[in-house]
Amino acid sequence: SINQAVDRNTRHMLMARGRNAGNIFDVLAMSYEAVCFPGRFAASKEIWGDMINQVNSRSLVFNVLLVFPIFLCMGKLPLLMAFSLSNEVSPRGIRRLGPLGLLREFDEEIIALSSTLIALLCMMYDGTGDGTRWARMRMPGTNKSYPFMRDFSAVFIFFAWKVFVSFMDLWPGIALLLCTFSFTVSFSSCVATILEKVNGSEEGTLKKCKMWPIIVFALRYSFLIHLCPKAQALKGVIFL
């Protein structure tokens, strides 16, 4: 029995060392375990190691959960473009359209993908390694600094969502936006609450994550602009 206990502890240590808060598969596996089997998750929480014990690692987990649905939706666009080409345009028609014709044919998809890619590059360029704060860049000619990459990421993700909903048609796009909002905010909040209860850590870690204001900004104003007339949407932007 002693050997079995040692072997079990060794396996737990190896598994904990192999967990990575920045790995989407580890994050999804931990989220599934926490939401579907909270009792078992609480009993074996040492398996997940620093992913739930350290504040920065938990913040990275929540950041991954917040951005994953949006990048997953945008990743569908190349497949939709390929299906559209294969079903609606013949090979001869593709040659007849040429590069400019294809750009006009898939302008919304290309704009949404480009905006998503730029937002991803801004996130990667930030490079602080901190899950709760953005790098502050010094403003030229002043002693002040500002997290420009945060605002750039938020604007480009918002713009990508706005174009994506237009591409999907209004109500199907709104329905998909609602599903994404539910998974992004509600599911992440559920996982965060379970981790806080299991680990006995401070509450509110999710809203301190660097991706939280970006995703909430993009989803909130995408809904607002698509559901309200332009004048009312502008008022909402000012007051919200």
Side-chain angles (χ1 to χ4, degrees):
S1 60
I2 295 177
N3 291 334
Q4 291 177 351
V6 171
D7 290 340
R8 184 169 58 253
N9 290 334
T10 302
R11 286 197 300 271
H12 286 177
M13 290 177 62
L14 291 174
M15 291 177 68
R17 289 177 182 175
R19 303 295 182 179
N20 182 2
N23 187 320
I24 181 62
F25 299 107
D26 286 343
V27 171
L28 292 178
M30 188 200 68
S31 304
Y32 169 77
E33 189 79 12
V35 172
C36 296
F37 308 102
R40 188 171 71 185
F41 177 77
S44 59
K45 63 180 182 179
E46 68 276 359
I47 292 178
W48 302 99
D50 292 340
M51 286 182 69
I52 63 174
N53 292 329
Q54 294 186 359
V55 175
N56 190 56
S57 296
R58 286 201 306 274
S59 299
L60 290 176
V61 168
F62 300 148
N63 286 330
V64 172
L65 286 176
L66 287 170
V67 301
F68 175 69
I70 289 179
F71 286 118
L72 182 64
C73 286
M74 297 303 169
K76 294 168 56 177
L77 288 177
L79 294 176
L80 295 175
M81 292 166 64
F83 285 134
S84 178
L85 275 176
S86 61
N87 293 333
E88 299 178 9
V89 184
S90 64
R92 182 176 298 176
I94 294 174
R95 289 193 295 270
R96 189 182 303 115
L97 283 174
L100 292 178
L102 289 175
L103 286 175
R104 285 192 294 268
E105 181 74 18
F106 299 106
D107 54 347
E108 292 180 335
E109 296 94 320
I110 293 171
I111 291 172
L113 283 173
S114 301
S115 299
T116 306
L117 180 59
I118 294 172
L120 179 60
L121 291 175
C122 291
M123 295 174 190
M124 295 173 63
Y125 181 78
D126 178 68
T128 59
D130 192 328
T132 58
R133 64 180 181 85
W134 289 84
R136 301 180 69 88
M137 303 175 66
R138 188 175 298 278
M139 300 173 66
T142 67
N143 293 325
K144 297 181 180 180
S145 59
Y146 190 79
F148 290 102
M149 293 299 107
R150 180 197 63 188
D151 291 2
F152 289 155
S153 300
V155 169
F156 281 111
I157 288 181
F158 157 75
F159 194 65
W161 264 119
K162 181 181 182 302
V163 177
F164 184 77
V165 172
S166 300
F167 163 72
M168 294 292 293
D169 293 331
L170 180 60
W171 291 113
I174 293 295
L176 184 58
L177 199 60
L178 280 170
C179 294
T180 305
F181 179 83
S182 298
F183 185 85
T184 301
V185 177
S186 303
F187 183 75
S188 299
S189 299
C190 179
V191 173
T193 302
I194 292 172
L195 291 187
E196 290 165 358
K197 298 298 182 183
V198 167
N199 203 41
S201 56
E202 63 173 332
E203 298 181 359
T205 305
L206 177 64
K207 293 186 178 181
K208 296 177 182 177
C209 294
K210 62 196 300 183
M211 295 301 169
W212 175 265
I214 290 175
I215 301 305
V216 171
F217 171 88
L219 292 173
R220 174 188 292 173
Y221 293 112
S222 295
F223 275 120
L224 187 64
I225 286 178
H226 282 290
L227 292 178
C228 301
K230 293 182 180 180
Q232 282 74 11
L234 181 60
K235 293 178 183 178
V237 169
I238 293 172
F239 289 107
L240 292 179

